[in-house]
Amino acid sequence: MSSLLSPEIVTVDSLTDRCDRCSAAARLTVTLTSGGELAFCGHHANRHHEDISRVGERITLEQGFEWAGK
Ligand SMILES: [Zn+2]
């Protein structure tokens, strides 16, 4: 069962994380409702935006990144 609540979205000047899928510079990090955190580059953040929205409790976007899930 998925949550009906939208994740909280915050924006920061820059992220130092690396994408968990391809190791490119992260443009988005997500704190999961189940605990833990994932990082995504722009490409993977947009490709997986539906999943990120569904399982995310808190999403951090890098300033200037236009996320498809917003
Ligand atoms: Zn990536």
Side-chain angles (χ1 to χ4, degrees), residues 19-24 40-45:
C19 178
D20 292 320
R21 305 296 174 97
C22 71
S23 296
F40 295 91
C41 67
H43 173 77
H44 284 115

Side-chain angles (χ1 to χ4, degrees), residues 45-64:
N46 284 335
R47 180 189 287 185
H48 299 294
H49 70 86
E50 288 180 351
D51 288 335
I52 292 168
S53 293
R54 198 175 63 234
V55 301
E57 182 171 84
R58 180 186 171 92
I59 290 169
T60 303
L61 298 175
E62 188 171 79
Q63 186 77 43

